[in-house]
Amino acid sequence: MNSETQFPSLNELGLISYLDDTGNLPEELQGKIGIYAIFDQDKTLQLVNYSRDIYLSLKQHLVRQPKSCYWLKAQTIDKPNRTQLEMIREAWITENGVMPPGNSSDEAAWNQPINAKLAMTDEEQVGYEKSDELMQIKLLKQVARRVEAQILEVLKSRGVQTEIRFNPKLKENGLLDLK
């Protein structure tokens, strides 16, 4: 326990399975404000972040980085306090000794909507460039649906039972994010 700020160190917290036996995220974190650390299958720290709803953030991260979300540690707080949460995040990262990829080189992949345009085939890109706006939207939706199906397949193979719904409006822009 850090005596100045009264928060547990990362090592003091126990690991929680990202998915429970029923394939769902930890329900006890629903609507909870706090800080969390995500670990991969080998228990290597991937991301330290804070949120006004840890459960929703964990769901977003699972969709964006399904192969890196196997374990987590979380500390909830009663009132949002950005300064305190940022201080805890920095302390946990320092304690880890290595900057997690989700807090450095892979930050966008962990925190931004999925850009389905990156999955376009050469043929689709040529078609996109030659199309009018309406056809471009149609093509982006098609590519986004294909990427969505791939993500859902990976989640299914992990046994995820939590409902995953993507925002249909964003697909027109070739983006995938949870609704």
Side-chain angles (χ1 to χ4, degrees):
M1 188 74 73
N2 184 314
S3 58
E4 287 174 36
T5 53
Q6 300 299 307
F7 64 85
S9 71
L10 191 57
N11 286 331
E12 289 175 311
L13 294 170
L15 277 172
I16 304 167
S17 180
Y18 211 95
L19 298 169
D20 66 19
D21 295 341
T22 65
N24 289 293
L25 294 162
E27 297 282 332
E28 67 272 12
L29 295 174
Q30 211 157 10
K32 300 289 185 194
I33 302 162
I35 187 157
Y36 56 92
I38 298 175
F39 299 82
D40 65 11
Q41 214 166 358
D42 300 325
K43 299 181 179 148
T44 302
L45 184 62
Q46 298 297 306
L47 173 76
V48 177
N49 214 346
Y50 54 86
S51 176
R52 288 182 166 271
D53 187 336
I54 296 173
Y55 181 88
L56 287 179
S57 294
L58 293 176
K59 196 171 171 180
Q60 288 278 20
H61 296 310
L62 180 62
V63 166
R64 293 175 184 153
Q65 296 291 315
K67 294 180 173 115
S68 298
C69 299
Y70 279 85
W71 302 97
L72 67 108
K73 293 183 178 189
Q75 178 63 45
T76 59
I77 61 171
D78 295 328
K79 290 188 292 203
N81 179 333
R82 181 180 229 115
T83 306
Q84 181 187 24
L85 291 168
E86 286 178 359
M87 207 166 62
I88 296 169
R89 178 174 60 188
E90 292 311 309
W92 284 6
I93 290 170
T94 301
E95 180 185 342
N96 186 55
V98 177
M99 181 66 76
N103 293 92
S104 58
S105 58
D106 293 343
E107 187 173 3
W110 281 88
N111 296 307
Q112 299 302 315
I114 297 162
N115 185 352
K117 291 179 206 164
L118 301 175
M120 278 183 158
T121 64
D122 292 342
E123 190 179 308
E124 286 169 331
Q125 282 185 326
V126 168
Y128 180 82
E129 289 165 17
K130 291 180 178 179
S131 298
D132 64 13
E133 190 178 350
L134 212 55
M135 282 305 291
Q136 286 179 340
I137 289 171
K138 191 175 177 181
L139 185 62
L140 287 176
K141 279 183 173 178
Q142 195 177 332
V143 172
R145 284 189 195 109
R146 185 177 71 233
V147 173
E148 175 184 10
Q150 292 166 347
I151 292 166
L152 292 174
E153 193 56 42
V154 170
L155 295 175
K156 184 180 173 189
S157 73
R158 289 268 319 266
V160 174
Q161 294 300 314
T162 300
E163 183 185 8
I164 304 293
R165 288 187 48 221
F166 288 93
N167 184 335
K169 282 281 182 216
L170 290 177
K171 290 177 189 174
E172 293 177 2
N173 300 318
L175 299 174
L176 288 171
D177 212 9
L178 294 183
K179 189 169 169 118

